[in-house]
Amino acid sequence: MGGWNMAGKWTSRRRAAAVIEKLLQCLRLLGLILACYGWLRFSMRRFRLPVELALPVSLCALGLTLFVAGCLGLLLPVSWLLLGLGVVLAVLSLWKQEGLRPLFTPGALLWLLLCGLALYLVYGQVFYYVDNFSHWATAVKVLLAKDAFPTAADYHIYFPQYPLGSSVLVYWFARMAGINSEWFQMLCQAVLIAACLSAPLALAPRGKKAGWAWAHGAVFALCVVGCNIELTSLYVDN
């Protein structure tokens, strides 16, 4: 009986630990979403950008900041700093009761649609091919393992002098969310691609026909990308 009681206690503890781990995972993901929202609203307010343009601008700005931080050997602390500042900006935006109406535009809705489509395409997927020259998938794995840029000593990467590009942004999403799954890395890359595809809607004619034409074209473009290899390989030519 004592053995059964001990086994039951260990099982209960494992279940409790799993629940706590899931809760922490959800909190980290919520923090990442809030940080992205905070930087988005900051870009819209500071530079007077519509949401369609603020999306790629804020994401690219985060990527460039992380790239500079990585060059200075400060990748991990700057990553947490960007997360913290983004959450603060989000809280301030909510505190000031900034209206959500500017976020509900055709371009923003298209971005959400493309992100949902990308999630459907990549969920549960793994990288089945890695370009040795662009080494995006491998680079992200090295970044997550070392929290630092690859060097010539990293034999996994054949061209360590090649610019990392958006892989640092993929690293930031994965590290801050605590999700190292390969499908999540693909999704992060697709989020950036979707933001770029949605951006021209800010400049498109306001007529319904023109807007719908661009929306259909963007969905078709993402389907072509997803059904080819870019979303599952993180090619440099994305």
Side-chain angles (χ1 to χ4, degrees), residues 15-235:
R15 289 177 179 174
V19 171
I20 293 174
E21 184 179 356
K22 289 294 183 182
L23 289 175
L24 292 175
Q25 183 79 73
C26 292
L27 287 175
R28 292 183 65 169
L29 192 57
L30 176 62
L32 178 62
I33 294 173
L34 282 175
C36 291
Y37 174 78
W39 288 115
L40 174 65
R41 294 310 297 251
F42 174 80
S43 299
M44 295 175 65
R45 183 173 60 253
R46 180 66 176 83
F47 303 107
R48 300 183 182 276
L49 295 174
V51 63
E52 295 92 344
L53 295 179
L55 278 167
V57 166
S58 58
L59 291 174
C60 290
L62 286 169
L64 288 172
T65 304
L66 290 165
F67 181 79
V68 173
C71 292
L72 297 175
L74 300 172
L75 185 58
L76 185 59
V78 171
S79 295
W80 285 108
L81 179 63
L82 290 174
L83 180 75
L85 289 176
V87 171
V88 170
L89 290 171
V91 172
L92 289 176
S93 175
L94 297 173
W95 179 265
K96 294 178 180 179
Q97 296 183 343
E98 290 183 323
L100 298 178
R101 189 171 182 179
L103 301 179
F104 293 99
T105 65
L109 295 177
L110 173 62
W111 175 72
L112 289 174
L113 174 63
L114 293 175
C115 290
L117 178 61
L119 177 61
Y120 171 76
L121 291 172
V122 305
Y123 184 75
Q125 297 290 323
V126 296
F127 295 116
Y128 64 86
Y129 184 76
V130 178
D131 186 348
N132 289 335
F133 184 68
S134 58
H135 65 256
W136 288 79
T138 307
V140 173
K141 291 182 181 296
V142 173
L143 289 170
L144 289 171
K146 301 177 59 178
D147 292 312
F149 277 10
T151 64
D154 294 305
Y155 61 90
H156 298 93
I157 297 176
Y158 296 102
F159 295 90
Q161 74 276 12
Y162 200 83
L164 291 175
S166 62
S167 57
V168 292
L169 184 63
V170 175
Y171 156 83
W172 184 69
F173 278 108
R175 172 59 73 220
M176 296 301 100
I179 302 175
N180 296 335
S181 302
E182 294 185 353
W183 69 265
F184 187 74
Q185 298 171 22
M186 300 174 200
L187 178 63
C188 297
Q189 179 82 345
V191 166
L192 178 59
I193 295 173
C196 295
L197 287 174
S198 305
L201 267 181
L203 308 175
R206 291 303 177 184
K208 292 184 178 180
K209 291 184 178 180
W212 278 110
W214 179 259
H216 287 132
V219 172
F220 175 76
L222 189 66
C223 286
V224 171
V225 171
C227 292
N228 197 343
I229 55 176
E230 279 75 10
L231 287 181
T232 53
S233 67
L234 295 185
Y235 266 144

